């Protein structure tokens, strides 16, 4: 009897080691268990012998790696072009490239063509006016603040969304969302250190940018009820192109040199690829897997700023970012619990 029990324990240990991510991705594990081999050992515990979750985790990591590289490439490209071109000029090129790329996709894939006709033009217009201000403010902030500070303050957007969703979407303030909001603003205070010499007016610009991005998120949620992702992206670029061109006062394309081609490519492709990769990451994994990987943007961009621009690794930015991340992860954990 003891030998049989010992043999059973060894088999169970081998099975449990196969899915070390069981607790982190329960939905994915359950999905794999329906398609793979396994056994029930009591109390509803199902040990799965399939490697499908591992492939899903690998896909999430690969897509998120692409998103992180695209976000970072965009930031570096803005820094590289800022001495020669204004924010409006850079983003006008990005919008024009986005329109051309999406029109080419619609030409190749006829099923995308209905997205070229908006059904809620007024909401598209309001969303893109705010998004135009936020995007230009974000790009301008990249030229004034350390890269890590810009990205850290941008991560306060979910806290603003939680607050705005109450009056605008009639959502309730749960305990998880309240913790995210409180820790988010504590993180802001740590990063900005009010009263210290390090406080910069540009930091308040980035807080305004995060607030505008939250408004855009609320409007995007309303648009997704009737509009496709392709339509939202297309009209984002189409409507913001003339807005950025209004800020252009010269034939800036005559200033383009061969050395500018790569940075312009980073701006044009970075915006589309970052959102494309992020969407695919969510397609392969739950938010509880994707969001922690998205937070890697802060240390990654801090390393880029340190290596490329000699920006110091500010411990207060990492401490404040840690508070923001803990709050958001706690909120995600609470939201993931069944009602």
């Amino acid at each position: 009897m003891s030998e049989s029990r010992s043999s059973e324990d060894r088999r169970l240990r081998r099975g449990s080691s196969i899915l070390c991510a069981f607790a982190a991705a329960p939905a994915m594990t359950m999905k794999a268990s329906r398609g793979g081999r396994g056994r029930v050992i009591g109390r509803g515990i199902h040990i799965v012998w399939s490697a499908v979750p591992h492939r899903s985790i690998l896909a999430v990591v690969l897509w998120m790696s692409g998103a992180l590289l695209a976000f970072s490439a965009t930031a570096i490209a803005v820094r590289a072009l800022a001495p020669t071109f204004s924010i409006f000029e850079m983003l006008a090129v990005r919008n024009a490239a986005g329109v051309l790329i999406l029109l080419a996709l619609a030409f190749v894939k006829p099923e995308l063509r209905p997205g070229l006709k908006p059904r809620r033009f007024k909401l598209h217009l309001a969303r893109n006016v705010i998004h135009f201000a936020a995007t230009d403010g974000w790009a301008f902030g990249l030229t004034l603040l350390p890269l890590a500070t810009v990205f850290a303050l941008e991560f306060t957007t979910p806290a603003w969304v939680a607050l705005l969703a109450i009056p605008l979407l009639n959502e309730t303030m749960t305990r998880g969302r309240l913790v995210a909001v409180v820790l988010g603003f504590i993180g802001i205070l740590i990063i900005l250190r009010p009263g210290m010499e390090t406080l910069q007016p540009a930091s308040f610009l980035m807080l305004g940018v995060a607030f505008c991005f939250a408004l855009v998120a609320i409007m995007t949620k309303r648009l997704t009820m009737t509009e496709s992702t392709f339509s939202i992206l297309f009209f984002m670029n189409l409507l913001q192109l003339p807005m950025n061109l209004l800020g252009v006062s010269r034939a800036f394309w005559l200033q383009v040199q061969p050395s500018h081609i790569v940075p312009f490519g980073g701006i044009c492709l970075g915006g589309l690829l970052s959102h494309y990769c992020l969407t695919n990451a969510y397609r392969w994994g739950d938010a509880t897997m994707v969001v922690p990987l998205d937070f890697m943007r802060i240390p990654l961009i801090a390393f880029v700023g340190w290596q490329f621009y000699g920006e110091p690794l500010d411990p207060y930015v990492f401490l404040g970012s840690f508070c923001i991340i803990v709050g958001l992860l706690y909120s995600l954990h609470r939201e993931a619990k069944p009602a």
Side-chain angles (χ1 to χ4, degrees):
M1 178 67 71
S2 62
E3 293 180 359
S4 176
R5 183 176 302 171
S6 177
S7 177
E8 178 72 8
D9 289 343
R10 285 195 298 270
R11 285 197 298 271
L12 295 183
R13 283 195 296 270
R14 285 199 304 269
S16 61
S17 65
I18 295 177
L19 288 178
C20 60
F22 180 85
M28 294 167 55
T29 304
M30 291 170 63
K31 180 178 179 181
S33 66
R34 289 194 293 267
R37 297 183 293 112
R39 57 177 301 181
V40 177
I41 63 174
R43 294 185 180 180
I45 300 175
H46 193 171
I47 293 181
V48 187
W49 302 84
S50 171
V52 173
H54 287 285
R55 290 200 295 269
S56 298
I57 293 172
L58 178 61
V60 170
V61 171
L62 290 176
W63 282 119
M64 282 306 301
S65 298
L68 294 174
L69 290 175
F71 278 122
S72 300
T74 302
I76 294 173
V78 170
R79 280 285 185 90
L81 294 171
T84 308
F85 302 95
S86 70
I87 300 300
F88 297 109
E89 293 166 350
M90 288 186 280
L91 294 181
V93 172
R94 172 181 170 178
N95 293 145
V99 170
L100 292 176
I101 292 172
L102 293 171
L103 282 176
L105 287 175
F107 178 79
V108 175
K109 296 185 175 182
E111 63 271 17
L112 296 177
R113 294 172 190 173
L116 300 177
K117 297 180 180 180
R119 283 169 285 185
R120 305 170 74 180
F121 183 76
K122 290 183 179 179
L123 187 55
H124 272 290
L125 182 61
R127 174 188 179 274
N128 282 290
V129 168
I130 297 174
H131 191 259
F132 161 75
T135 304
D136 283 69
W138 180 81
F140 187 52
L142 287 173
T143 66
L144 300 176
L145 293 169
L147 296 176
T149 302
V150 171
F151 277 61
L153 293 175
E154 184 187 349
F155 272 114
T156 61
T157 295
W160 292 117
V161 171
L163 289 175
L164 292 172
I166 298 173
L168 299 181
L169 295 176
N170 296 320
E171 295 185 0
T172 58
M173 176 60 78
T174 63
R175 186 171 72 177
R177 296 176 187 178
L178 179 61
V179 170
V181 170
V182 172
L183 287 180
F185 284 105
I186 291 175
I188 292 172
L189 293 176
I190 294 174
I191 294 171
L192 299 183
R193 303 191 291 286
M196 301 289 289
E197 293 180 356
T198 52
L199 181 63
Q200 298 186 45
S203 299
F204 292 102
L205 168 66
M206 283 309 304
L207 288 179
V209 166
F211 182 81
C212 288
F213 278 140
L215 284 174
V216 170
I218 298 294
M219 293 180 177
T220 303
K221 185 171 182 179
R222 289 188 178 275
L223 278 174
T224 55
M225 298 176 183
T226 57
E227 305 290 292
S228 66
T229 301
F230 174 84
S231 181
I232 294 172
L233 286 175
F234 176 74
F235 283 98
M236 178 188 74
N237 286 285
L238 182 66
L239 292 175
Q240 291 184 37
L241 175 57
M243 297 179 194
N244 280 305
L245 287 176
L246 287 175
V248 175
S249 60
R250 56 172 182 162
F252 67 89
W253 52 88
L254 299 178
Q255 306 296 320
V256 177
Q257 302 294 327
S259 60
H260 297 143
I261 295 177
V262 172
F264 269 123
I267 286 181
C268 296
L269 296 178
L272 289 176
L273 289 178
S274 59
H275 293 289
Y276 179 76
C277 292
L278 196 59
T279 301
N280 278 287
Y282 277 106
R283 192 182 306 278
W284 280 91
D286 296 333
T288 50
M289 287 182 61
V290 176
V291 171
L293 290 172
D294 194 27
F295 288 140
M296 289 299 295
R297 271 199 276 168
I298 296 176
L300 175 62
I301 203 66
F303 178 78
V304 170
W306 175 51
Q307 285 291 315
F308 284 81
Y309 306 106
E311 297 174 356
L313 298 175
D314 188 351
Y316 288 98
V317 171
F318 287 95
L319 180 59
S321 301
F322 176 77
C323 291
I324 297 171
I325 291 170
V326 168
L328 293 177
L329 289 179
Y330 179 78
S331 178
L332 285 170
H333 174 72
R334 295 285 303 180
E335 296 288 340
K337 285 186 175 181

